Amino acid sequence: MVEANTSRRSFLKWSAVATAAGTVLPACTAHTPTRSEGSKEGLPAPTADRTVWSACLVNCGSRCPLRMQVKDGTIVQVLPDNTGDDGLFTRQIRACVRGRSMRQRIYSPDRIKTPLIRVEGTKRGAGKWRKASWDEALDLVVEKLRYTYDKYGPEAVYRNYGSGVWNAHVANSGGWNRLFNLLGGRLTYYGNYSYAQIATITRYFYGSEDEQVSNSFEDAALHSDLLVLWGNNPQETRMSGGGLVYTSLWAKIKGKCKIIVVDPRYSDSAAVLADEWVAPRPGTDSALIAGMIHVMLQENLQDQAFLDKYCIGFDEDHMPEGAPKHASYRSYIEGKGPDGVEKTPEWAARITGVPADQIRAFARQVANAKACNISQGWGPQRHANGEHQALAIYLLACVTGNVGIPGGGTGGREGYYWPITEWFDDGENPVKTSISCFGWTDAIDHGPEMTATKDGVRGADRLKTGIKFLLNYGSNMPGSQHADINRTRKILQDESKCEFILAVDNQMTRTTELADVVLPDTTQSERWDLIPSEYTGDMAYLILTQKVIEPLYESRPAFEIVREIAKRMGLEQEFSEGRDLEATVRRMHAKTVAEHPQFPDFDQMLKQGVYRYSNPEGTTVALKEFREDPEANPLDTPSGKIEIYSQQLADMAKTWEFPNPLRGDQILPIPAYQATWEGAEEAKTNREYPLQCIGHHYKQRTHSTYGNLSWLNEAHPQSVWINTLDAQDRGIKDGSEVLIYNPRGKVQIPAKVTARIAPGVISLPQGAWTKFDEHGVDHGGAVNVLTSQHPTPISKGNGQHTTLVQVKKAR
Ligand SMILES: Nc1nc2c(c(=O)[nH]1)N[C@H]1C(S)=C(S)[C@@H](COP(=O)(O)OP(=O)(O)OC[C@H]3O[C@@H](n4cnc5c(=O)[nH]c(N)nc54)[C@H](O)[C@@H]3O)O[C@H]1N2
Ligand SMILES: Nc1nc2c(c(=O)[nH]1)N[C@H]1C(S)=C(S)[C@@H](COP(=O)(O)OP(=O)(O)OC[C@H]3O[C@@H](n4cnc5c(=O)[nH]c(N)nc54)[C@H](O)[C@@H]3O)O[C@H]1N2
Ligand code: SF4
Ligand SMILES: [Mo]
């Protein structure tokens, strides 16, 4: 926490704001709304003098416009979008409970008020700061940048993964990427924490460099008779009214499809949308699918014509040249492969916990549907065997011939129409070496030991140097979101490893606490930007966000911070071409309009705030061309077909190294089930840590963002979901304080005892802020105190839903 750093001027400014916020609080929480003119919400009329468009732009997969009510330079109320309607392609982009709490984030006591420098001689994370002037702080950053480039070269400079300002046209990079590129480049990362496993593995199956999305929910609503939400929870993870919370509900209410949810947790999507719930143990979906395909083969329900024409590797008659005998997927199912085990529903039931009869019934429903959209979320692939979990779900869509037809899908995530607006130009990074986004703590700890075939270094055989200059901008990785927080903190506290850490945020977080210098960014309401939609299905939009209020305290928009650094390094003209942030935003908008004249001009956007447009093709039907003519439109795989057996993966299995392999560290050429370290099967035999712990994405926060607000803590408290039977065994009652622990850490938090989670599984919603006591026990409920940094085998990504723990009543 920052104390004693606030200057008198900013203190006075702060008290004024606090008082203003204090006086208006009741307006927001009042329970006596009267329907008033100008307010569609039925809220009390705002006592504001102006309404200005802003937005919530956190990385929740959507973006929501906000209509800020401003009085005397203070935001007194936050209202959602009031344009659009309830049409499938013209929907209102209503903010969720988080965006509507924006005012509490803007005026939070955790706001960073001035630049801060860690007090010399104190440890990183000790929380001892001295207030610095902008000049002093920026000079220090410039000195450290020069030193790092001179002494270690550009590969030692790293901007950490961070999604706090995701996808804003300017704030997304904040100008940092452009600056680094002008300075000679930086070590980059590939992949992301969201879907590293599926993004990497897809190229071997469908041949695309990213995940292969499925048909959109709009398409499902109009054309499917069965929608399977497979580890996919749109009601909680896509909460914008402009996005999938709405289109999935539309599919339920107005569509003709039945909905099945496959999730170890009875999620909000299961509660709101599902006709049926299938609850496999985490990390066992590929076994469930093997059991289902066994049923289909026994009953001849597979779409053999599709498999023969569009795929290789399903059976022995369609294998690539040189593949060994009995290596096809069908041989694996029939027990003719190397393991000799037939994948009957009973076999699958023992691994997954799903009863064999339910597996049979589920298989028949999927196979007999005329058009079934299997829509895969990213929960299943955020596991130790995530790559093959994702492949197996793709496979089910292929075996049932649903790929490329209206109402069907690829087995990937629901499709979308990507916004077409202009992006800030980052320039080109001269450094071609990259690491997996999950590999940065290793690159700090032992960078030069990291190689291509062992650690997935790309663009070079090995790293030349470790990371020496770390930027955390809009990122809460070090303190909250990366795995194994205790290990991460320890690595960062060793100043001989990473020599300089810069954090740029607007809240004092568990990450900024670990930095050497902290710079105060503004919130979105204190700066200009263009914000596109993201995963919103077939309707896209653009929001012009304005500087609603003056930057609080001494904060500055990141873009202006970077411009100052560029100036000190003699690069201002190259960096900004003489434009400030507002001018940069205006220019980008002008470029968008020049390319797409249908977009309203800037003055019109100032008035209307948000501009909607939709997919010119109607709804997204993924791989339609391939389905129509696979010869003319081959996939980018070696065979041009869907590769259920991948020779490339078989070859990688021979060359990639796993020096200290854990169970599951292997590369398989087919989407077979792999038991893993800390997986479902290990849970059954591990007496010390017998519970599987996942950490779902939760309504209270977007990751850690919004996690420090009392309104949201009250609306959606942090607690650990535990099954009634597991709780009974341990004498735990609903609301009891429990200790969750494993060798990596300890968390103490109230229990939510519920039948809404499968026995043997707990879920501690990810993203909570740690609150360590003097014994190192976290009372905030941060799941990453427990998770492992061990990377997944192929993408070297984050299997953060794979963790074994024990739970007991806390004394
Ligand atoms: N165990 C576990 N861990 C996970 C996951 C999981 O499922 N389980 N999920 C992973 C996933 S999918 C992701 S995407 C990552 C997300 O991890 P992060 O990208 O680190 O996301 P946040 O925790 O929201 O942190 C974003 C930071 O940006 C800051 N911020 C917000 N607005 C601004 C701004 O305007 N300017 C600046 N400078 N900063 C701002 C916020 O205050 C916050 O500190 O977490 C990953 N971690
Ligand atoms: N409210 C809110 N919304 C968010 C975010 C947030 O933090 N809060 N984060 C955003 C971001 S960056 C991302 S990447 C997405 C994440 O979106 P997802 O990755 O899809 O979200 P998760 O909650 O990790 O997983 C989805 C569901 O999968 C289940 N699950 C976990 N393991 C398994 C498994 O092995 N098999 C099956 N079948 N199901 C499993 C979980 O219980 C959960 O209900 O959400 C985005 N939206
Ligand atoms: S968190 Fe996402 S859904 Fe909620 S208001 Fe913000 S952008 Fe919209
Ligand atoms: Mo994510």
Side-chain angles (χ1 to χ4, degrees):
M1 198 84 346
V2 205
E3 291 146 13
N5 293 313
T6 325
S7 70
R8 184 165 163 75
R9 189 177 68 83
S10 64
F11 175 72
L12 286 177
K13 203 167 158 189
W14 165 239
S15 347
V17 165
T19 319
T23 49
V24 293
L25 269 177
C28 207
T29 49
H31 290 287
T32 50
T34 48
R35 189 152 189 93
S36 57
E37 268 198 11
S39 167
K40 284 192 181 177
E41 320 306 313
L43 290 171
T47 51
D49 24 66
R50 24 191 215 114
T51 299
V52 189
W53 287 97
S54 181
C56 172
L57 75 156
V58 290
N59 178 23
C60 72
S62 318
R63 301 290 174 280
C64 295
L66 300 173
R67 289 179 302 130
M68 299 308 200
Q69 306 300 300
V70 186
K71 187 174 172 60
D72 301 333
T74 299
I75 297 170
V76 293
Q77 195 173 355
V78 175
L79 295 177
D81 182 27
N82 62 349
T83 66
D85 53 36
D86 60 357
L88 191 51
F89 299 94
T90 50
R91 45 197 190 264
Q92 215 167 53
I93 310 160
R94 291 183 160 228
C96 80
V97 62
R98 298 183 294 278
R100 293 176 195 228
S101 309
M102 183 65 93
R103 205 160 56 91
Q104 214 183 32
R105 187 145 76 89
I106 297 169
Y107 298 115
S108 157
D110 290 330
R111 280 293 295 265
I112 306 162
K113 298 169 184 74
T114 69
L116 298 170
I117 297 178
R118 178 165 57 91
V119 173
E120 231 166 282
T122 65
K123 225 178 162 183
R124 283 181 185 151
K128 299 272 188 277
W129 301 98
R130 70 183 172 78
K131 187 202 153 204
S133 67
W134 272 105
D135 276 339
E136 187 192 2
L138 292 175
D139 286 346
L140 183 57
V141 171
V142 167
E143 181 195 317
K144 297 295 180 185
L145 269 175
R146 287 216 168 98
Y147 162 84
T148 312
Y149 276 100
D150 289 350
K151 180 155 182 200
Y152 297 105
E155 244 189 46
V157 176
Y158 189 72
R159 176 185 162 192
N160 214 344
Y161 183 92
S163 68
V165 278
W166 209 248
N167 258 15
H169 278 299
V170 180
N172 184 45
S173 90
W176 293 102
N177 297 357
R178 186 173 172 89
L179 174 76
F180 292 138
N181 291 344
L182 288 169
L183 290 172
R186 68 193 159 113
L187 179 70
T188 45
Y189 59 76
Y190 59 83
N192 53 50
Y193 281 71
S194 310
Y195 61 95
Q197 292 73 16
I198 192 170
T200 301
I201 203 67
T202 300
R203 77 177 64 127
Y204 305 102
F205 192 89
Y206 281 124
S208 84
E209 284 300 313
D210 205 338
E211 72 177 325
Q212 175 55 63
V213 293
S214 190
N215 296 13
S216 59
F217 282 160
E218 286 91 334
D219 180 75
L222 299 172
H223 304 295
S224 301
D225 50 346
L226 179 62
L227 172 63
V228 182
L229 296 173
W230 203 300
N232 191 357
N233 183 16
Q235 294 292 312
E236 272 166 298
T237 63
R238 295 287 185 257
M239 289 177 69
S240 167
L244 309 176
V245 73
Y246 188 73
T247 51
S248 58
L249 197 59
W250 211 92
K252 165 87 180 169
I253 294 169
K254 302 206 179 168
K256 293 181 194 70
C257 53
K258 180 171 179 179
I259 299 182
I260 299 178
V261 169
V262 186
D263 197 312
R265 222 166 44 86
Y266 193 74
S267 62
D268 282 10
S269 297
V272 173
L273 304 174
D275 297 290
E276 267 176 49
W277 176 40
V278 180
R281 289 191 231 281
T284 67
D285 301 74
S286 43
L288 173 61
I289 289 163
M292 291 170 72
I293 294 177
H294 187 279
V295 175
M296 293 179 192
L297 292 178
Q298 290 266 305
E299 301 180 10
N300 203 21
L301 297 174
Q302 78 277 19
D303 188 336
Q304 194 63 44
F306 180 86
L307 289 166
D308 291 348
K309 184 170 176 189
Y310 297 91
C311 306
I312 62 162
F314 186 74
D315 52 40
E316 296 296 317
D317 296 337
H318 300 86
M319 291 296 276
E321 227 173 282
K325 265 195 164 6
H326 305 307
S328 68
Y329 189 81
R330 184 165 186 147
S331 292
Y332 163 73
I333 294 296
E334 292 172 342
K336 295 175 185 154
D339 68 357
V341 176
E342 199 178 339
K343 309 300 175 315
T344 60
E346 283 71 21
W347 167 86
R350 280 194 296 277
I351 293 171
T352 61
V354 180
D357 282 343
Q358 194 183 12
I359 297 175
R360 284 195 183 85
F362 184 24
R364 289 176 193 132
Q365 287 196 70
V366 175
N368 290 329
K370 275 202 236 60
C372 171
N373 184 334
I374 299 167
S375 189
Q376 160 166 208
W378 294 328
Q381 57 90 63
R382 207 174 290 109
H383 276 281
N385 54 5
E387 289 93 352
H388 281 63
Q389 289 261 96
L391 284 186
I393 304 169
Y394 281 152
L395 174 64
L396 194 59
C398 299
V399 172
T400 50
N402 277 299
V403 179
I405 57 167
T410 63
R413 184 157 208 140
E414 62 287 337
Y416 48 81
Y417 173 59
W418 197 249
I420 53 176
T421 39
E422 191 67 30
W423 286 87
F424 182 71
D425 182 4
D426 284 344
E428 174 110 15
N429 184 6
V431 175
K432 299 299 167 214
T433 311
S434 63
I435 55 172
S436 153
C437 65
F438 193 54
W440 62 277
T441 40
D442 285 350
I444 289 174
D445 188 58
H446 53 267
E449 291 166 32
M450 291 172 74
T451 71
T453 49
K454 184 163 63 65
D455 307 283
V457 171
R458 290 190 189 163
D461 290 339
R462 58 169 60 243
L463 289 189
K464 290 198 208 83
T465 173
I467 294 169
K468 297 292 176 184
F469 181 110
L470 177 68
L471 167 67
N472 295 303
Y473 163 65
S475 168
N476 208 352
M477 281 297 147
S480 178
Q481 296 307 111
H482 187 57
D484 201 345
I485 287 177
N486 288 317
R487 171 188 182 268
T488 304
R489 284 178 75 90
K490 217 160 137 198
I491 290 172
L492 294 181
Q493 282 173 337
D494 182 344
E495 290 174 47
S496 70
K497 288 181 172 156
C498 184
E499 295 182 24
F500 187 73
I501 305 179
L502 171 63
V504 184
D505 206 301
N506 51 39
Q507 314 281 316
M508 202 68 191
T509 66
R510 301 301 180 250
T511 287
T512 55
E513 283 168 10
L514 286 162
D516 299 314
V517 171
V518 179
L519 300 178
D521 196 355
T522 61
T523 66
Q524 190 53 52
S525 300
E526 297 148 76
R527 61 176 183 243
W528 291 88
D529 215 326
L530 287 165
I531 317 286
S533 52
E534 203 178 13
Y535 302 109
T536 44
D538 289 307
M539 183 186 88
Y541 51 88
L542 177 70
I543 309 164
L544 172 60
T545 63
Q546 303 172 39
K547 185 165 94 172
V548 181
I549 52 169
E550 287 302 313
L552 293 183
Y553 319 106
E554 294 180 27
S555 68
R556 294 181 184 178
F559 180 86
E560 300 297 354
I561 298 174
V562 182
R563 196 151 76 108
E564 276 295 322
I565 295 173
K567 191 167 161 189
R568 281 170 160 73
M569 301 187 96
L571 291 166
E572 193 196 355
Q573 189 54 31
E574 287 90 330
F575 174 77
S576 69
E577 294 163 353
R579 289 183 200 92
D580 66 6
L581 176 55
E582 184 186 338
T584 302
V585 169
R586 282 180 181 269
R587 177 147 188 279
M588 282 167 48
H589 185 70
K591 279 173 91 177
T592 298
V593 176
E595 267 188 42
H596 309 285
Q598 71 270 34
F599 278 73
D601 67 19
F602 201 82
D603 288 340
Q604 180 56 32
M605 281 301 288
L606 284 175
K607 280 186 222 135
Q608 77 182 61
V610 50
Y611 170 67
R612 290 171 180 72
Y613 53 105
S614 56
N615 187 348
E617 298 193 4
T619 62
T620 301
V621 178
L623 297 183
K624 185 163 156 268
E625 288 81 17
F626 171 67
R627 180 72 187 248
E628 280 162 6
D629 189 344
E631 307 263 297
N633 308 297
L635 300 179
D636 205 7
T637 53
S639 63
K641 296 187 176 186
I642 298 168
E643 301 208 340
I644 295 169
Y645 175 95
S646 163
Q647 191 58 48
Q648 286 178 310
L649 287 174
D651 293 343
M652 275 161 59
K654 291 181 201 139
T655 53
W656 280 34
E657 303 158 70
F658 295 96
N660 305 303
L662 295 181
R663 199 172 178 208
D665 282 343
Q666 62 185 139
I667 300 174
L668 303 175
I670 52 169
Y673 165 69
Q674 304 178 60
T676 72
W677 52 272
E678 300 191 40
E681 286 175 85
E682 208 177 293
K684 283 191 228 163
T685 54
N686 190 327
R687 288 172 169 228
E688 270 181 294
Y689 307 107
L691 296 173
Q692 289 186 273
C693 173
I694 56 174
H696 63 277
H697 291 228
Y698 188 37
K699 290 172 284 195
Q700 181 199 104
R701 305 172 292 269
T702 302
H703 311 294
S704 68
T705 306
Y706 287 105
N708 55 333
L709 308 191
S710 60
W711 290 344
L712 288 162
N713 282 304
E714 214 176 288
H716 303 299
Q718 180 74 354
S719 57
V720 59
W721 293 40
I722 182 165
N723 182 273
T724 321
L725 299 172
D726 296 319
Q728 257 169 21
D729 287 350
R730 291 166 175 77
I732 293 165
K733 296 210 172 64
D734 193 38
S736 302
E737 280 277 314
V738 296
L739 190 71
I740 317 165
Y741 58 99
N742 68 14
R744 290 180 289 269
K746 295 190 176 93
V747 174
Q748 187 176 325
I749 194 90
K752 172 185 166 97
V753 176
T754 174
R756 285 182 61 177
I757 189 154
V761 186
I762 66 164
S763 188
L764 183 58
Q766 66 94 20
W769 292 40
T770 55
K771 285 186 201 134
F772 286 115
D773 67 16
E774 65 277 22
H775 307 294
V777 178
D778 167 39
H779 294 257
V783 72
N784 284 320
V785 170
L786 303 161
T787 55
S788 166
Q789 203 277 329
H790 194 82
T792 62
I794 303 169
S795 62
K796 305 299 173 195
N798 52 334
Q800 277 164 295
H801 287 338
T802 298
T803 304
L804 288 189
V805 297
Q806 179 57 295
V807 176
K808 65 177 184 189
K809 234 172 120 170
R811 261 181 284 152

